[in-house]
Amino acid sequence: MVIAQYYLDTNMLKDKKNTDAIIEMPKAEIHLHLEGAFTFDFLFELIQKNGGDPGISSIEDLKKKFVFKDFSHFIQTWLWKNKFYRKPEDFEESAYQTIKNLSLQNVMYAEVFFSPWDFISQGMKIEEITEATISGIRRAEREYLIKCNLIADIVRNYGAETSIQRLNQITPYLNKGVIGIGLGGSEKEFPAVLFKEVFIEAKKRGFRTTVHAGEAAGAESVWSAILDLHAERIGHGVRAIEDPKLIGYLLEKQIPLEVCITSNIKTKVFDNLMEHPFDYMYKKGLNVSVNSDDPPMFGADITDELTMLYNKLDYSLNDLKTLTKKAIEASFLETSEKKKYSDKVDNYLKNN
Ligand SMILES: [Zn+2]
């Protein structure tokens, strides 16, 4: 039997029946990085295929490698695993396995970041990586009940001067697998305003837009993503709570925030779930969704995030349904498709 990779801690389960209902529930995910969402089985095979590593002789060794001491250890491990991606077919298989794994958790629709520029030092072309990634996604879509669109993360750290070049490289794939652009990377060192020009141009070309902000930097970074880049969605956005005026603005405009709770705790934006503002933001009526960011890196995927809210914050199945529908509503899908997926969530819970 094929089993999805998720990380449920069975010791913390409140009740099995509703946990099973959460696993089975149709889901959506709109903030997930393909480079951080590999399955351990896949990565283990990739390492063996492309030279091996003396410290990794089993999947258990690999899982241990992904327990981080601190943020710089996290980045080191991220770069270490990237070096095993050597050929286009590695990206095809990686995308296929990741999307398949989402489908096994009953994710119906996913918008997934990818950043082919992270791999150019390995001698591959952006076009090769992009085409292989789209091909892997299409294969998973044909074999499983899932749909997926890519968002190209043009990454702040590669600089504003060359960002138009990255946009040009990705433009041939617009609406052929790629639906939008994103802006991840070092929020403090490379402020959003530097990327104003590329975002104006991307919008002109028809790209949808989302910007990581309010994670490593504070509310001013979220303001800039909204006012300078006119981002349609904000990745994270949780440090908006530092500015009541911004919270009021986000509430009034209902700007979608792609919240990734476990990621924020693991990267120490907040110390623990009780300190995390998600519950406050949701109950205040902000347009929040729940997402997983980099599941194997942080040890939690979308199923875990929803189960955590149920088990630890007493969210009802109905709350989880609302959050899933918010993710669908905030997605870059056409209205008719949003309705199709929303109806699936409604129909599922009617029967549970
Ligand atoms: Zn992210």
Side-chain angles (χ1 to χ4, degrees):
M1 192 174 75
V2 196
I3 299 171
Q5 167 178 293
Y6 36 80
Y7 307 87
L8 286 177
D9 175 2
T10 43
N11 296 321
M12 73 169 207
L13 300 182
K14 206 162 66 175
D15 67 77
K16 173 132 177 46
K17 182 173 169 286
N18 280 341
T19 303
D20 286 347
I22 297 166
I23 293 170
E24 296 293 324
M25 190 173 97
K27 301 175 190 73
E29 164 97 68
I30 57 171
H31 189 123
L32 178 82
H33 297 263
L34 214 41
E35 295 81 13
F38 52 85
T39 65
F40 283 119
D41 288 358
F42 165 76
L43 186 62
F44 182 70
E45 276 178 32
L46 186 73
I47 292 169
Q48 307 308 101
K49 190 182 98 172
N50 289 340
D53 182 286
I56 307 294
S57 53
S58 67
I59 290 185
E60 284 318 305
D61 290 343
L62 189 58
K63 287 184 176 169
K64 274 185 216 146
K65 177 117 186 148
F66 283 87
V67 178
F68 308 113
K69 290 189 273 257
D70 51 33
F71 195 69
S72 79
H73 182 215
F74 170 86
I75 297 292
Q76 260 173 34
T77 312
W78 180 278
L79 297 174
W80 168 82
K81 60 114 185 116
N82 280 3
K83 72 179 183 164
F84 294 101
Y85 286 73
R86 305 268 169 88
K87 292 189 176 141
E89 53 261 38
D90 299 339
F91 291 87
E92 203 272 353
E93 185 66 18
S94 183
Y96 170 78
Q97 293 294 346
T98 297
I99 303 307
K100 170 183 158 185
N101 184 56
L102 289 178
S103 174
L104 295 173
Q105 294 174 67
N106 300 300
V107 173
M108 310 169 283
Y109 178 65
E111 273 166 18
V112 179
F113 293 106
F114 84 123
S115 183
W117 302 282
D118 292 357
F119 300 91
I120 38 177
S121 61
Q122 273 133 265
M124 270 174 293
K125 292 196 182 114
I126 299 305
E127 293 75 14
E128 287 178 317
I129 298 173
T130 305
E131 282 162 28
T133 302
I134 293 172
S135 160
I137 288 174
R138 294 287 178 258
R139 179 155 66 102
E141 286 177 332
R142 283 195 301 276
E143 292 178 20
Y144 296 89
L145 282 174
I146 187 163
K147 181 180 163 76
C148 174
N149 277 309
L150 288 166
I151 298 174
D153 179 356
I154 60 167
V155 189
R156 295 168 191 255
N157 304 48
Y158 300 138
E161 307 74 27
T162 53
S163 58
I164 289 278
Q165 187 194 337
R166 291 194 289 286
L167 182 69
N168 288 340
Q169 286 170 327
I170 224 70
T171 298
Y173 306 99
L174 178 60
N175 297 326
K176 292 176 188 151
V178 178
I179 202 168
I181 61 161
L183 190 63
S186 302
E187 208 186 329
K188 276 190 196 154
E189 293 82 350
F190 299 88
V193 68
L194 298 173
F195 299 87
K196 201 169 172 169
E197 219 175 294
V198 72
F199 270 73
I200 290 171
E201 183 56 31
K203 277 202 171 183
K204 238 189 252 169
R205 294 183 192 185
F207 283 90
R208 309 299 299 270
T209 58
T210 171
V211 172
H212 281 57
E215 179 195 19
E220 72 291 346
S221 173
V222 180
W223 277 121
S224 177
I226 298 168
L227 300 178
D228 294 322
L229 304 189
H230 302 283
E232 293 179 74
R233 291 196 318 236
I234 301 295
H236 297 285
V238 282
R239 286 184 58 190
I241 48 147
E242 294 169 11
D243 179 356
K245 210 173 136 209
L246 177 58
I247 289 290
Y249 188 85
L250 292 169
L251 186 62
E252 186 201 326
K253 303 282 183 196
Q254 285 293 296
I255 297 171
L257 307 175
E258 310 149 7
V259 182
C260 310
I261 304 172
T262 303
S263 162
N264 293 157
I265 295 168
K266 291 283 169 81
T267 59
K268 308 256 188 284
V269 180
F270 299 99
D271 285 342
N272 53 53
L273 182 61
M274 293 308 146
E275 307 268 315
H276 195 284
F278 178 82
D279 189 47
Y280 166 80
M281 295 169 106
Y282 172 61
K283 289 183 177 150
K284 187 144 180 91
L286 289 167
N287 191 352
V288 288
S289 59
V290 178
N291 300 278
S292 64
D293 215 7
D294 304 302
M297 309 292 290
F298 299 131
D301 54 32
I302 185 69
T303 308
D304 295 298
E305 298 288 338
L306 294 171
T307 309
M308 176 175 71
L309 292 175
Y310 176 81
N311 281 312
K312 297 199 172 168
L313 293 184
D314 279 332
Y315 278 40
S316 65
L317 289 184
N318 214 37
D319 287 318
L320 304 185
K321 169 181 126 176
T322 302
L323 287 165
T324 302
K325 287 175 73 171
K326 277 177 182 287
I328 295 164
E329 205 42 53
S331 77
F332 297 143
L333 285 168
E334 300 286 331
T335 311
S336 60
E337 282 189 291
K338 287 182 183 177
K339 186 175 178 328
K340 180 181 86 183
Y341 291 120
S342 260
D343 288 349
K344 279 192 186 178
V345 182
D346 282 335
N347 291 337
Y348 172 75
L349 274 185
K350 249 183 244 161
N351 302 322
N352 270 275

